[in-house]
Amino acid sequence: MPVIAARDALERLREGNQRFVANIRSQETLPNHARRMQLTAGQEPFAIVLGCSDSRVPAEIVFDQGLGDLFVIRVAGNIVAPSQVGSVEFAAERYGTQLVVVMGHSHCGAIAATVEGMEPNERGPQSRNLLSITDRIAPVVAPLMHTELVQDRPALLRAATRANVSASANHLRHGSRLLEELRLKNGLLVVGCEYDLETGIVDFFDGAD
Ligand SMILES: [Zn+2]
């Protein structure tokens, strides 16, 4: 199968999400023996998705995709640390995958924990390991804490979620020489989106136009 251009891959994800929202599951995405056997020869995922570990946001399900379709990296708060960059680099280089999607979501616990940890008299998570996640989100959220958004918690969390997605997408665009080269020379596209738990809709709000 030829490499799928980023724009076509994005369209495939949009269509898959529309099916998910309409409670339709396409027949091709159901696991079956033949497809499993076919994939033992190799994989050609058409998109790379960096999403949150939240149990309510599995990329394959919200985009209605099947075995071998998506190369998925999941980490709480969809943060970008070196191992996430490395995973994206690996798939983009090895499989020629052209589309990279960073997906945040509403009601994200990692975002809420970061915001809570930044409030006066709060010390944030006590675990160093957990802190390694919220510490990556905090610099993105900090500027928002000095705006009127602090008066409106849901609006603050939403803005923080989107700012964090954009920061992760920008990190992938500019924080890796390999990805930057693929972007400038090979048509790699990095986009950011937010999944809405209530509607099931994925809104591609960053870099998708
Ligand atoms: Zn989350």
Side-chain angles (χ1 to χ4, degrees):
M1 227 168 54
V3 168
I4 296 171
R7 293 284 161 193
D8 297 336
L10 186 57
E11 195 48 40
R12 233 158 116 167
L13 291 183
R14 287 188 199 274
E15 287 170 5
N17 180 240
Q18 282 164 12
R19 288 194 299 273
F20 172 74
V21 170
N23 292 318
I24 300 166
R25 186 94 199 257
S26 84
Q27 204 66 29
E28 299 115 68
T29 64
L30 296 174
N32 64 67
H33 184 256
R35 179 68 176 137
R36 220 168 61 224
M37 287 301 112
Q38 188 187 24
L39 284 167
T40 59
Q43 59 173 317
E44 288 168 322
F46 74 84
I48 301 164
V49 181
L50 169 65
C52 182
S53 301
D54 193 300
S55 65
R56 300 164 294 183
V57 196
E60 292 87 346
I61 295 179
V62 306
F63 289 121
D64 187 33
Q65 300 301 322
L67 282 176
D69 287 333
L70 304 178
F71 189 96
V72 180
I73 304 135
R74 288 177 72 177
V75 57
N78 41 272
I79 55 158
V80 175
S83 58
Q84 279 79 46
V85 180
S87 298
V88 174
E89 286 178 344
F90 172 78
E93 189 173 49
R94 175 73 61 100
Y95 308 119
T97 310
Q98 301 266 18
L99 179 67
V100 181
V101 177
V102 176
M103 179 161 65
H105 66 100
S106 57
H107 304 287
C108 182
I111 298 291
T114 305
V115 169
E116 281 158 21
M118 297 178 78
E119 281 169 342
N121 306 319
E122 271 293 333
R123 292 191 303 164
Q126 297 304 295
S127 155
R128 270 196 327 165
N129 306 306
L130 253 173
L131 266 174
S132 75
I133 292 175
T134 54
D135 279 354
R136 284 191 184 269
I137 303 173
V140 177
V141 175
L144 302 174
M145 302 301 277
H146 303 292
T147 69
E148 58 198 23
L149 283 170
V150 286
Q151 314 295 337
D152 182 347
R153 180 51 67 105
L156 173 65
L157 292 175
R158 185 154 187 271
T161 298
R162 293 198 166 218
N164 182 51
V165 165
S166 294
S168 287
N170 272 327
H171 191 150
L172 292 176
R173 289 181 188 118
H174 305 294
S176 152
R177 179 176 291 191
L178 189 133
L179 294 179
E180 183 121 47
E181 271 185 29
L182 289 175
R183 222 162 46 76
L184 298 173
K185 294 181 191 153
N186 294 48
L188 181 92
L189 181 68
V190 182
V191 301
C193 63
E194 185 189 12
Y195 172 76
D196 185 299
L197 248 55
E198 278 89 1
T199 64
I201 294 172
V202 175
D203 180 13
F204 289 93
F205 68 90
D206 186 310
D209 301 322

